Amino acid sequence: YGVRTESGCVVSLQLTDNSLKGEIPEEIIQLTHLQSLVLQLNSLSGEIPQEIGNHLSSLRMLNLSNNQLTGKIPASLGNCPFLYTINLFGNNLSGEVPDIFNTLIIKEVMLGSNQLTGSLPKLGENVRSFRADGNQFSGSIPDSHINVLKYNEIYNISYNNLTGKVPQAMVTRDKFRIYWYDILPQNPGYGFEGEMELPAHTNTVKC
């Protein structure tokens, strides 16, 4: 934790659970060699600087989870070609998610417990963990989400306003049973294409 430098340049800023308040300063975009920005478990408010990705192109890890951040997810993060983790869980972010997760090398996308709307974002084939639970997403599950299941890690889109059918490829995945309870709860428009064997207690799920 703390600040790490290399050759006189700040490459890592990790200030987890430090009771930080106020907004993320715009001056942070001047740390152009920054690779890791971890400010989770604080009381930061205001918006994420919208130009952050245009200046911090070396960013690999962005963790701003469990704060009080508002506004939109910056589309400029799509300009961070090395970004492999983005964790914005547990804030008050709103609006639609920019189309930035299907081209990056990103492996972990955590967007749960916000106020995000619109369609679920498309995901690249490298994404291993995805959370979007506890938002206001609508529409159906994109086909690109099927790839996440092959890694058998985290996939949670419960507690949204999703409708339509669970993609057939998800239904036929051998490991899908692990994930059914992270898809159906509080997405009352969802059903299944084809037949699927589920444990008996799933009959209590509204779908």
Side-chain angles (χ1 to χ4, degrees), residues 37 57 71 83 94 107 113 142 168 174 178 182 192 200 202:
L37 178 58
S57 58
L83 188 64
S94 59
K107 295 182 178 180
S113 296
Q168 179 65 33
D174 291 340
I178 299 172
D182 287 335
F192 291 107
T202 66

Side-chain angles (χ1 to χ4, degrees), residues 89-172:
F89 181 91
N91 282 286
N92 296 308
L93 299 172
S94 59
E96 297 187 3
V97 178
D99 188 18
I100 59 175
F101 302 127
N102 61 334
T103 57
L104 300 173
I105 64 169
I106 195 160
K107 295 182 178 180
E108 181 182 71
V109 179
M110 299 296 176
L111 307 176
S113 296
N114 280 285
Q115 300 173 26
L116 299 169
T117 57
S119 301
L120 288 169
K122 296 177 181 179
L123 301 177
E125 60 182 17
N126 293 314
V127 176
R128 305 172 69 95
S129 300
F130 179 73
R131 285 192 67 175
D133 50 307
N135 282 286
Q136 300 171 29
F137 287 114
S138 57
S140 58
I141 302 174
D143 290 338
S144 62
H145 285 218
I146 295 169
N147 290 325
V148 182
L149 298 184
K150 68 184 178 183
Y151 294 109
N152 194 25
E153 293 191 8
I154 297 172
Y155 182 75
N156 192 334
I157 56 172
S158 62
Y159 296 93
N160 280 287
N161 299 312
L162 301 173
T163 56
K165 299 287 186 179
V166 175
Q168 179 65 33
M170 282 187 171
V171 175
T172 56

